[in-house]
Amino acid sequence: MQSVHIVSAYDEELKYLSKRIAAMGGHAERMVEQAVAALVNVDHGLAQKVIQDDLVLDEGQREIDDKAIIIIARRQPMATDLREIVGAIRISADIERVGDLGKNVAKRVASVDGRQPNSLFRGIEALANLALTQLKEVLDVYASRSVERIGLVRDRDDQIDAMYTSLFRELLTYMMEDPRNITPCTHLLFCAKNIERIGDHATNIAETIYYIVTGEQMPADRPKGDKTDKIVLPGTVPAK
Amino acid sequence: MTETGAGRDNKGQAWAARLSRNRWLLGASVLAVLAVYFFAGVSVYVLVLALAALAAAAMLPTDAGRQPADAGAAIEASGLQRLSGEYLAAAVADPLIIFDHSATIVHANAAAFAAFGGLAPGMSLSLKFRAPEMQALLDGILSGQVAADAVDYTEKLPVERTYRVSASTVGHATGLYVLVFKDQSETRRIDRMRADFIANASHELRTPLASIAGFIETLRGPARNDAAARDQFLQIMQNQTGRMARLIDDLLSLSRWEMKPYLGPGTEVDLRQTIDSVIDSLGPLAGENGVIIEREFANGPLVVPGDRDELFQVFENLLENACKYGQSGGRVTVSIAGSEDGQQPGFDVTIRDYGPGIAEEHIPRITERFYRVDVESSRTQKGTGLGLSIVKHILTRHNARLSIKSEVGKGAAFTVHLPAR
C-alpha cells in the first residue's frame, strides 16, 4: 500500500490516521443505520443513543486534524504521503458531516409519530440502504485502494437522486391530501434530504480517495440527477 | 507417602535444572549486586535481600524453557509438525483470517474470500471491519489485555449476515492472531422471518380477509336464498383466498432470498437454455393475454455463474410482468447481449414490453415491497406487490444489477446485468 519510510514511526503515524478514519467511518455507518431504524420503528431510545454517539465522531475529527497537522509539521511529507494526510483531513470532515446528518434524522424521530403510510417509511429505508451501500463501498475502497471501483460508486448517486425525487413527490402528495400531514411529512422530507446528502458525502470521499491514490482529480462530469427543483404538483401551480 | 517423596525429588531436580539454566545470568546479577554494595555503600541487609530475591527469581518456572519442550513432544507424537498453517486454515469451513500485531492480514482462507469481497493479504483488518464492536474486539486482542474474545457482528449490506466472531492469539509469542467467523444468519433469519411475516402479512392479508368475512356475513344473512348471488360471492371469495395463498408463497420466498447468505461457488447457468424454458412455461399466459414473445439472443456461449432456479424465478417474474402489464403492446422482446459495461464484462438480459410504460417517479421505487404503481391493475392481474422485490434480492445475491428504462406510452425495458466470471 505504501512504501516503507526510513523512520518507521512515520509509517506508524500514517497507519494510525487511516485506522482512525476507518473507525470513524464504521461509527458513522452504524449511526445512520440506527437513526433510520429509529425513524422507521419510532424508537425514541435508539434515537437518543444516536444523538449521543455523534460526540465520538466530533472528537475523532478533531483528533485526526491535530495528528495530521503534527505529521505535516514534523515530517515535511511529499507526494503520496502529503496527499494521504490532506485526504485524511478531508475524509474525516466528510464522515463527521455524515454523522451530523444521521444525528439530525434521529432528532426528528420525536416529531414523526409513525402514523404515516407504510410506503413512505419503506421508501426512506430503501433510500437509506442505497446511501449506506454507497458509504460502505467507498470505505471499502479506502481500505483496498482499488480505485477502479469508484465508477460504480458514482453511478449509485444517480439512483439515490432518482429515489429522493420520487419520495419528494410522494411526500408533497400526502401534504396536499390532508394539512394535518404537513408537520410529520416536512420532517420526513428533511430526513430524506439528509440521507440524500449522505450519498453526496460518500461521493466526495470517493473523489478524495481517487486523488490520494492517483494524484489526479476525478473528471468533473459528476452526474446531477436531483430533479426536485422542478417538481410542482397539479393544483399548486402559482397563479399568474 | 512415597509418591510425595518422589514429587519432592522431581521438584528438587527441576529447581536445580532452572538454576543451572540461568547460571550465567545469575552470576552476572550477583556480581552487579556486589558491585553496588561495595561502591554505593548500601546496608548489608539490602545486599542479603537482593541476593535472596535473585535466587528466587532464578528458580521461578520460565515459559521460555519449558513450553517448547512440552509442545514439541506433543507435536512429534501426532506428526503435526509438518502441517502448514495454510492447509489447516483451508480445511476450516468458516471464514478464517490470520493477522499480525498491526492488524494486517497475513492469510485468509477461501471461505473468508467468498464471504467478504475485497480481502487481500497485507490489507489492514481494522480498515475492512469498521463496525465499532469489531474495532473494540481487535483493539482488545492486540493490546494483549485478553487472549481470546468474541462478539456478534452484523453486516447489513448488501445482504444481511450475522456472525459470531471470535478472536484469539495463535500459540505462544508467535505475534499472530486469528479471527474465526461463525455464520449465525440462519438463526437470525428465522427470527426475522417471523417478525417480517407478522408485520407484512397482517397488513396485506387484512384486506382479503375483511372481504371474505363480509361475503360470509352476506351469505348467511340477506343472500341466503339467492342462488345467483351466492355463486358470484363464492367466486369472489375463491379469488381472495387464492390471493392470500399467493401472498404467503411470495412472502416466504422473499424472506428466503433476503436472508440467504452469499451464493454457493461453482455453479453455472446457461442463460439461453434457462430463458427458453421460462418463455415456454409462460407461453399459456402470453397466449391468454394475446402477447407474442420475441427472442433476440446473441450468438456464442451465454454462461454466467449463478443458481439456475433463482435466475429462472428472476426471468419468470420479469416476463410475467411484461406479459401482464404490457398486454396492450401485443408483443414482448427478450434479448440477451454481451454487456458493453466496461467495468464488469458480462451479459445483459433485456425484457421489453410495448405497453403503457411506467411514470418516471415510480421507477426508482417499484422494487420496494408492496409498492404498486396502480393498485387496481395490480389486483386484477393477481399481483402480490412482491415480484420485483424478489427479483432484486436474487440479483443482489448474484452480484448483478437491474436497470429499468421506461417512458410513458412507449413501454418499459427491464435489463439485468449479470457479470461473467
Side-chain angles (χ1 to χ4, degrees):
Chain A
M1 200 161 81
Q2 283 155 357
S3 53
V4 179
H5 293 101
I6 294 172
V7 185
S8 68
Y10 187 10
D11 280 333
E12 292 297 316
E13 285 167 8
L14 288 176
K15 267 198 191 130
Y16 181 80
L17 271 190
S18 49
K19 183 177 164 329
R20 284 293 299 158
I21 293 265
M24 275 182 76
H27 205 84
E29 284 175 286
R30 179 58 50 86
M31 270 182 71
V32 175
E33 203 178 291
Q34 289 183 336
V36 173
L39 183 71
V40 171
N41 306 320
V42 199
D43 183 341
H44 298 288
L46 190 59
Q48 280 307 316
K49 181 189 170 299
V50 173
I51 293 170
Q52 278 152 23
D53 277 356
D54 189 45
L55 281 177
V56 180
L57 286 185
D58 292 349
E59 199 169 305
Q61 195 212 350
R62 269 187 233 129
E63 190 195 338
I64 288 178
D65 275 4
D66 285 350
K67 285 262 181 328
I69 297 287
I70 290 173
I71 299 177
I72 294 177
R74 199 186 280 162
R75 312 281 182 197
Q76 308 277 316
M78 308 272 279
T80 317
D81 296 336
L82 184 56
R83 290 202 302 273
E84 181 79 40
I85 296 163
V86 173
I89 296 175
R90 277 164 56 177
I91 293 174
S92 80
D94 274 320
I95 294 177
E96 195 270 333
R97 284 296 300 153
V98 168
D100 285 348
L101 293 166
K103 176 170 130 184
N104 190 271
V105 170
K107 276 184 177 169
R108 291 178 193 278
V109 171
S111 317
V112 177
D113 48 13
R115 275 187 282 124
Q116 287 67 45
N118 259 339
S119 74
L120 270 182
F121 289 102
R122 282 209 193 89
I124 289 190
E125 217 173 1
L127 182 70
N129 275 349
L130 281 176
L132 279 172
T133 309
Q134 205 183 15
L135 192 60
K136 177 179 152 56
E137 276 178 3
V138 164
L139 292 170
D140 279 350
V141 171
Y142 183 72
S144 65
R145 299 293 154 113
S146 42
V147 279
E148 68 280 0
R149 294 189 54 81
I150 280 181
L152 285 173
V153 173
R154 267 189 162 188
D155 287 354
R156 213 177 287 274
D157 216 35
D158 276 356
Q159 294 179 34
I160 293 182
D161 287 336
M163 181 75 102
Y164 172 63
T165 311
S166 161
L167 270 172
F168 187 95
R169 180 183 284 270
E170 194 173 346
L171 283 162
L172 285 194
T173 319
Y174 286 120
M175 290 194 233
M176 286 174 66
E177 269 172 18
D178 186 346
R180 279 171 298 180
N181 281 337
I182 290 179
T183 309
C185 283
T186 308
H187 285 292
L188 286 177
L189 190 59
F190 272 99
C191 290
K193 180 73 198 164
N194 286 343
I195 297 168
E196 188 260 343
R197 292 290 304 156
I198 290 173
D200 288 347
H201 283 290
T203 316
N204 277 351
I205 297 176
E207 283 165 5
T208 308
I209 297 171
Y210 186 86
Y211 178 67
I212 293 177
V213 176
T214 63
E216 282 162 29
Q217 298 285 357
M218 255 181 120
D221 58 349
R222 182 163 165 176
K224 278 271 173 276
D226 180 356
K227 294 178 187 154
T228 50
D229 50 352
K230 296 193 189 63
I231 291 183
V232 178
L233 292 190
T236 60
V237 183
K240 296 259 162 82
Chain B
M1 289 306 277
T2 43
E3 268 176 25
T4 30
R8 207 175 292 146
D9 263 9
N10 276 345
K11 258 185 195 155
Q13 281 170 12
W15 282 338
R18 282 175 206 152
L19 268 182
S20 72
R21 215 169 29 231
N22 293 331
R23 59 187 179 273
W24 294 114
L25 195 62
L26 199 57
S29 316
V30 169
L31 272 180
V33 169
L34 287 176
V36 169
Y37 172 67
F38 285 122
F39 294 106
V42 280
S43 129
V44 71
Y45 295 112
V46 176
L47 171 69
V48 172
L49 264 178
L51 286 178
L54 267 180
M59 289 204 203
L60 279 177
T62 49
D63 276 357
R66 195 181 46 176
Q67 284 296 338
D70 291 0
I75 286 171
E76 262 168 25
S78 56
L80 269 173
Q81 205 153 33
R82 287 184 303 277
L83 180 66
S84 129
E86 207 168 314
Y87 293 150
L88 194 60
V92 177
D94 293 322
L96 179 148
I97 298 172
I98 301 170
F99 58 102
D100 67 8
H101 63 93
S102 62
T104 307
I105 300 174
V106 174
H107 179 74
N109 68 358
F113 281 112
F116 311 105
L119 281 183
M123 190 168 150
S124 170
L125 264 189
S126 40
L127 263 58
K128 174 73 189 166
F129 298 101
R130 297 176 296 267
E133 63 270 11
M134 287 296 283
Q135 298 276 332
L137 177 73
L138 289 173
D139 286 348
I141 284 288
L142 292 174
S143 66
Q145 283 163 359
V146 278
D149 200 0
V151 293
D152 286 318
Y153 166 60
T154 302
E155 261 195 351
K156 266 192 92 77
L157 296 163
V159 186
E160 185 162 334
R161 283 179 291 170
T162 304
Y163 295 98
R164 181 80 184 157
V165 188
S166 46
S168 54
T169 50
V170 180
H172 283 270
T174 53
L176 291 178
Y177 306 84
V178 67
L179 272 187
V180 183
F181 295 77
K182 191 109 196 122
D183 197 338
Q184 314 251 298
S185 310
E186 189 72 11
T187 339
R188 191 63 71 92
R189 177 175 76 88
I190 292 164
D191 287 355
R192 258 285 290 274
M193 219 162 109
R194 207 170 43 215
D196 268 13
F197 193 80
I198 292 167
N200 290 316
S202 60
H203 181 74
E204 290 290 320
L205 290 177
R206 193 175 289 146
T207 326
L209 257 184
S211 127
I212 292 171
F215 283 118
I216 290 176
E217 215 165 274
T218 323
L219 282 175
R220 301 183 71 177
R224 183 190 292 269
N225 296 317
D226 185 341
R230 194 167 55 217
D231 260 8
Q232 191 198 345
F233 290 167
L234 283 174
Q235 181 60 50
I236 297 174
M237 284 163 70
Q238 193 179 3
N239 291 348
Q240 295 290 359
T241 49
R243 183 173 154 216
M244 286 162 72
R246 280 195 307 277
L247 190 66
I248 290 172
D249 285 349
D250 275 5
L251 273 174
L252 286 177
S253 73
L254 180 62
S255 298
R256 198 164 64 235
W257 304 137
E258 257 185 349
M259 294 301 292
K260 211 165 162 184
Y262 44 95
L263 199 67
T267 55
E268 294 203 319
V269 181
D270 181 356
L271 285 178
R272 190 193 311 274
Q273 187 261 336
T274 308
I275 291 173
D276 270 338
S277 56
V278 170
I279 293 175
D280 289 345
S281 78
L282 286 176
L285 177 82
E288 247 172 62
N289 287 339
V291 173
I292 299 160
I293 301 175
E294 296 165 354
R295 303 168 206 218
E296 288 172 10
F297 294 175
N299 295 322
L302 303 169
V303 179
V304 292
D307 182 297
R308 187 183 181 274
D309 289 347
E310 294 181 16
L311 288 182
F312 187 92
Q313 189 167 10
V314 166
F315 298 124
E316 190 182 34
N317 286 4
L318 290 177
L319 192 57
E320 199 180 322
N321 279 351
C323 292
K324 282 177 179 174
Y325 302 110
Q327 194 179 350
S328 60
R331 67 192 174 103
V332 170
T333 322
V334 182
S335 60
I336 313 176
S339 174
E340 290 150 23
D341 188 345
Q343 286 153 342
Q344 254 179 335
F347 296 103
D348 286 353
V349 180
T350 305
I351 293 170
R352 175 159 178 66
D353 69 62
Y354 299 87
I358 306 163
E360 192 186 12
E361 68 263 27
H362 294 301
I363 292 176
R365 307 195 52 197
I366 49 178
T367 56
E368 282 169 33
R369 290 173 172 207
F370 302 119
Y371 189 89
R372 293 181 177 97
V373 173
D374 176 358
V375 175
E376 211 35 61
S377 80
S378 168
R379 292 270 149 84
T380 53
Q381 296 288 359
K382 300 183 178 174
T384 56
L386 290 173
L388 285 176
S389 276
I390 294 175
V391 166
K392 190 181 133 199
H393 282 287
I394 296 178
L395 291 182
T396 308
R397 281 162 47 69
H398 281 76
N399 202 10
R401 284 179 300 136
L402 176 70
S403 61
I404 305 162
K405 289 209 172 65
S406 178
E407 226 175 293
V408 175
K410 290 187 179 167
F414 288 75
T415 304
V416 176
H417 308 273
L418 285 157
R421 198 178 300 279

